[in-house]
Amino acid sequence: GGYPRLFSPWQVGHLTLPNRVVMGSMHMGLEDSHADLPRLAEFYAERARGGVGLIVTGGFAPNRLGRLSPGAGMLATRKDAEAHRVVTDAVHGEGGHILAQLLHAGRYAQSPLQVSASRTRAPISPVTAFALPTAAVRRTVRDFVRAAGWARQAGYDGVEVMASEGYLINQFLAPATNRRTDCYGGSARNRRRFLEEIVTGIRQAAGEGFVISVRLSMVDLVQDGQTLEETLDAARAVERCGADLINTGIGWHEARVPTIVTSVPRAAFATATARVKDVVDIPVSASNRITLPHTAEQILSADQADAVTMARPFLADGHWVRKAQADHEQAITPCIGCNQACLDHVFSGRTVTCLVNPRAGRETEEPYTRLGMPAMPSAGRDDGALRVAVVGGGPAGLAAAHAAAEAGHAVTLFEEQERVGGQFRLARRIPGKEEFAEALAHFRHRLEPLGVDVRTGVRADAAILTGGAGEPAFDHVVVATGVVPRELDIPGIDRPEVHAYPDVVDGTVTCGDTVAVIGAGGIGVDVAELLTTPADHPHGAFQEHADWEREWGVDPDFGGRGGLAPRTAPAVPRTVHLLQRSPGRIGARLGATTGWVHRGTLKARGVVQHSGVRYLRIDDAGLHIEVTRTVGRLRKRTEVSRKVLAVTDVVVCAGQESEASLAVRLRAAGMPEERIHVVGGALKAGEIDAKRAIDEAVRAVARI
């Protein structure tokens, strides 16, 4: 096959695993209630069926203080262990292996009663944590050991000790959060005593036939974090204490360096893992921004790790391993690192799923249960299959065509442009969103082997679809015609220096040296980032790793504490003004886990931000605006000012409206309502939402 290292067997403790792919820990929002564990079991079982050699669960707390949120899942009682049997039985029934991750949240707990190594407050928490007394530290060690015992009772093949991402054990390891003066603080050796006692205790209690993985922070990316030498010493220590595997963790949740969003270069931290691999004899697994088999194979071939750990790629495609092993990389639905349906859902208390695979995490729910195993590499159709027309080749249309063809329907996709892609075709040109090109390529390349009849440059009208143009009528029509830009009523909006955002993004228009962007939603922010990207960065190409490290302040040698270095702002080619009508902070409605990255980029690149704006006119002098803002801290008052932005260009990103006229014409032609399925932007415009659009498309097809 094409990935010889990836599909070579390896040994983890007593387990011989068939491939070097570890499905990393992800909180799914299904761990907290025993009633949800059967759903979690089916999610893991499908990944085991798809060929994953080793699965790690989301984190389970060893005691009440360690829970991430009130009512969060624990492995602390016999009842917990019995409830988890459904999970381990499901995975073992498919030939897989599974570890339970043990995670104590420490000062990241969403609770008024937080504990940590010392009395400190995390910048992402409103609560100051209490310092654990020495006796309580020892009790917590015993709770971890007891939790591992319950994991064994539940049938898990082992546990993963979470010592990364800024959770409690990591809080003991780093001077930033450990100011103790007892035997668990002071020297680096004392700071890692807590971790050593946990691993030693689990090994002594469990014996040899039980895997212990340690998720170790390779680089903290916070001020006063661990040094590289302290990290290497911690790796050596957990090996001595009986660990079988070291899994990679990168960065704390409070770090101001992005680690897993789509703008982070692929395999950005593999060099950090390689440093640890060099000093231990047990296997080490690399993680973070590894999404496709060729990247994984490169890491393994370069001897940077013994295995690769991927989490979100298994949301995007539960059969990643099976497809890679069959050399069908293009059949893999790729993770695009968007965070919209996974991490953003975690932080808002919703069940995790996936933008490009809305069935993930919902395998037992209607109508997703009707969607079976993915067809690979080609699908046959039964005689008498339903004829399904999909009109519109954007994300919703492509997802609908894909799902309908996999379900065995005869599918025709109509796209009036010369190429399919819609908003994905634009998104892939935004710096930091290059992964959208992978998703588009996947959907496009899968259409032919699935037997989809793709007709580009064709505007599908009601006559074609209802049999009035010499063709048989279609049984069902999915209307995925998307949106059209909203027209603004501003004097001068028709001037030549005013551009619609698609023309700027696709390169049809080149802007001058001072630009106003009207509209500061997701599209406006993307356009502002595009316009301030250094001129030598080619459209659609990933940012060079070294440039990314300089822009975000990552030390390539991880030499100082926390692996940080001074940030270097890039040379921006023009001044950009970003404007929104509503008052308040720009970017406030962006995703919980990605918004701060975009806001940081805008600030670093000097984008001038204006909110509370009324647009007056555009003329030779520029864009005339009126700005209303609230001033004064105690006695607040409203202040209104007028100004002229002397700009060379104005780019309009001020929303869009649904284009669903085809559905109206189909109804007028007599097509029954139950055979017309309006999805995505055609159903609801709002802020363009690919997550909702793809979900609606897949659900519509599942109900056909």
Side-chain angles (χ1 to χ4, degrees):
Y3 313 106
R5 289 282 292 148
L6 193 59
F7 292 105
S8 61
W10 61 309
Q11 196 74 23
V12 178
H14 68 290
L15 299 179
T16 302
L17 300 172
N19 57 62
R20 294 171 182 262
V21 181
V22 178
M23 177 175 154
S25 176
M26 283 181 288
H27 193 76
M28 293 295 298
L30 298 172
E31 295 86 356
D32 302 341
S33 164
H34 288 174
D36 285 333
L37 291 177
R39 292 168 62 195
L40 187 65
E42 183 50 39
F43 170 75
Y44 289 140
E46 183 158 311
R47 275 74 196 159
R49 268 195 300 280
V52 176
L54 183 63
I55 294 170
V56 184
T57 69
F60 291 96
N63 57 30
R64 287 184 181 279
L65 283 176
R67 294 184 301 185
L68 275 165
S69 59
M74 296 194 293
L75 268 170
T77 65
R78 182 177 303 282
K79 195 173 178 183
D80 292 332
E82 289 169 353
H84 276 252
R85 265 284 169 193
V86 67
V87 174
T88 57
D89 286 349
V91 171
H92 292 150
E94 299 294 345
H97 298 286
I98 185 164
L99 309 182
Q101 189 185 75
L102 305 180
L103 182 157
H104 191 301
R107 68 181 197 160
Y108 284 168
Q110 296 166 21
S111 160
L113 186 60
Q114 293 178 359
V115 295
S116 185
S118 298
R119 186 171 170 78
T120 57
R121 185 179 70 81
I124 57 174
S125 171
V127 178
T128 299
F130 294 94
L132 274 171
T134 305
V137 176
R138 294 189 174 121
R139 275 199 304 276
T140 305
V141 171
R142 290 196 293 275
D143 289 340
F144 267 98
V145 175
R146 195 173 291 119
W150 291 126
R152 182 164 208 166
Q153 289 267 322
Y156 285 102
D157 298 289
V159 292
E160 176 167 277
V161 176
M162 179 45 132
S164 181
E165 264 79 1
Y167 293 114
L168 181 69
I169 297 173
N170 211 170
Q171 291 162 28
F172 270 83
L173 290 168
T177 40
N178 187 339
R179 302 163 190 164
R180 303 176 71 95
T181 55
D182 64 358
C183 63
Y184 293 102
S187 67
R189 183 175 183 179
N190 281 355
R191 292 198 306 273
R192 63 174 183 267
R193 187 186 302 274
F194 181 48
L195 171 60
E196 290 176 4
E197 289 182 355
I198 290 169
V199 177
T200 300
I202 294 172
R203 176 54 72 214
Q204 287 175 349
E208 288 308 307
F210 191 71
V211 170
I212 302 175
S213 169
V214 176
R215 180 83 176 266
L216 196 64
S217 180
M218 305 284 169
V219 54
D220 290 337
L221 299 177
V222 293
Q223 293 293 335
D224 224 9
Q226 298 169 91
T227 63
L228 174 62
E229 201 48 55
E230 287 168 356
T231 300
L232 299 181
D233 285 343
R236 295 182 187 103
V238 297
E239 180 178 28
R240 281 195 308 272
C241 295
D244 300 299
L245 172 67
I246 293 175
N247 210 346
T248 292
I250 300 291
W252 292 23
H253 289 309
E254 67 203 64
R256 294 293 88 185
V257 177
T259 56
I260 54 173
V261 299
T262 190
S263 58
V264 177
R266 288 183 185 167
F269 300 100
T271 53
T273 304
R275 305 280 180 95
V276 170
K277 182 182 183 302
D278 286 344
V279 302
V280 294
D281 293 324
I282 56 174
V284 178
S285 192
S287 78
N288 287 60
R289 293 291 290 122
I290 303 164
T291 59
L292 290 170
H294 64 265
T295 308
E297 184 70 19
Q298 285 167 5
I299 291 167
L300 298 174
S301 298
D303 212 26
Q304 291 179 305
D306 300 287
V308 290
T309 298
M310 298 179 295
R312 295 172 304 162
F314 289 108
L315 287 172
D317 198 327
H319 298 266
W320 191 102
V321 173
R322 193 168 66 90
K323 292 175 181 178
Q325 198 156 17
D327 262 354
H328 293 302
E329 181 162 314
Q330 283 196 326
I332 293 172
T333 305
C335 167
I336 55 175
C338 68
N339 289 8
Q340 290 178 34
C342 51
L343 286 167
D344 284 353
H345 277 213
V346 169
F347 284 96
S348 57
R350 289 175 288 171
T351 302
V352 164
T353 181
C354 179
L355 180 144
V356 293
N357 177 24
R359 185 170 178 267
R362 298 161 167 171
E363 288 81 5
T364 61
E365 290 179 31
E366 281 288 337
Y368 305 102
T369 49
R370 303 181 204 177
L371 301 171
M373 288 276 285
M376 183 201 74
S378 61
R381 282 199 299 270
D382 298 330
D383 289 339
L386 292 172
R387 297 189 77 235
V388 177
V390 177
V391 184
L398 289 169
H402 200 261
E406 285 192 335
H409 302 307
V411 182
T412 303
L413 175 66
F414 296 93
E415 168 55 58
E416 67 176 330
Q417 301 294 323
E418 292 301 321
R419 290 176 295 166
V420 298
Q423 295 296 329
F424 268 18
R425 208 170 74 238
L426 293 176
R428 66 183 177 157
R429 296 181 66 86
I430 301 296
K433 292 194 172 179
E434 293 81 9
E435 294 287 2
F436 281 78
E438 295 281 2
L440 178 54
H442 160 74
F443 281 121
R444 199 172 60 226
H445 289 129
R446 293 293 294 140
L447 296 177
E448 185 180 344
L450 287 169
V452 177
D453 177 9
V454 180
R455 303 185 190 179
T456 54
V458 176
R459 185 177 177 86
D461 58 25
I464 292 175
L465 301 171
T466 57
E471 286 195 54
F474 285 92
D475 299 300
H476 289 265
V477 179
V478 179
V479 179
T481 42
V483 296
V484 290
R486 182 183 300 138
E487 292 189 9
L488 296 182
D489 184 19
I490 303 172
I493 197 72
D494 54 354
R495 289 172 64 91
E497 69 269 25
V498 180
H499 318 296
Y501 74 85
D503 295 333
V504 174
V505 174
D506 71 13
T508 303
V509 166
T510 302
C511 292
D513 59 8
T514 313
V515 181
V517 177
I518 293 180
I523 295 170
V525 169
D526 280 350
V527 169
E529 289 190 29
L530 172 69
L531 291 170
T532 53
T533 297
D536 59 357
H537 182 89
H539 254 347
F542 284 97
Q543 186 176 18
E544 289 292 330
H545 195 155
D547 292 341
W548 177 84
E549 287 174 330
R550 280 192 290 273
E551 185 166 352
W552 285 100
V554 177
D555 179 353
D557 298 317
F558 311 115
R561 283 212 168 272
L564 296 176
R567 290 182 67 169
T568 306
V572 296
R574 56 179 62 84
T575 300
V576 171
H577 295 265
L578 182 58
L579 306 99
Q580 69 179 21
R581 288 182 188 273
S582 57
R585 182 174 64 160
I586 279 180
R589 291 191 298 274
L590 296 175
T593 60
T594 54
W596 68 270
V597 180
H598 294 296
R599 290 189 292 269
T601 300
L602 296 177
K603 183 178 178 183
R605 295 182 179 182
V607 172
V608 187
Q609 301 178 35
H610 310 261
S611 56
V613 173
R614 188 161 74 90
Y615 306 105
L616 304 176
R617 66 183 183 279
I618 304 164
D619 59 20
D620 289 346
L623 173 62
H624 297 250
I625 60 173
E626 182 179 275
V627 179
T628 302
R629 63 193 190 104
T630 303
V631 295
R633 295 188 65 179
L634 297 175
R635 298 184 62 186
K636 296 189 185 310
R637 66 184 193 281
T638 299
E639 189 175 274
V640 179
S641 59
R642 292 193 170 193
K643 58 179 77 172
V644 182
L645 304 179
V647 295
T648 55
D649 300 86
V650 176
V651 183
V652 179
C653 308
Q656 43 279 320
E657 294 166 349
S658 294
E659 171 44 72
S661 57
L662 175 62
V664 176
R665 295 195 298 275
L666 288 171
R667 293 181 193 111
M671 181 171 275
E673 188 68 37
E674 66 271 13
R675 289 164 53 192
I676 304 168
H677 312 272
V678 184
V679 300
L683 180 66
K684 181 183 174 187
E687 186 70 32
I688 287 173
D689 187 349
K691 177 182 71 172
R692 177 181 59 81
I694 291 172
D695 185 30
E696 287 170 357
V698 169
R699 282 193 285 121
V701 167
R703 292 193 178 105
I704 289 175

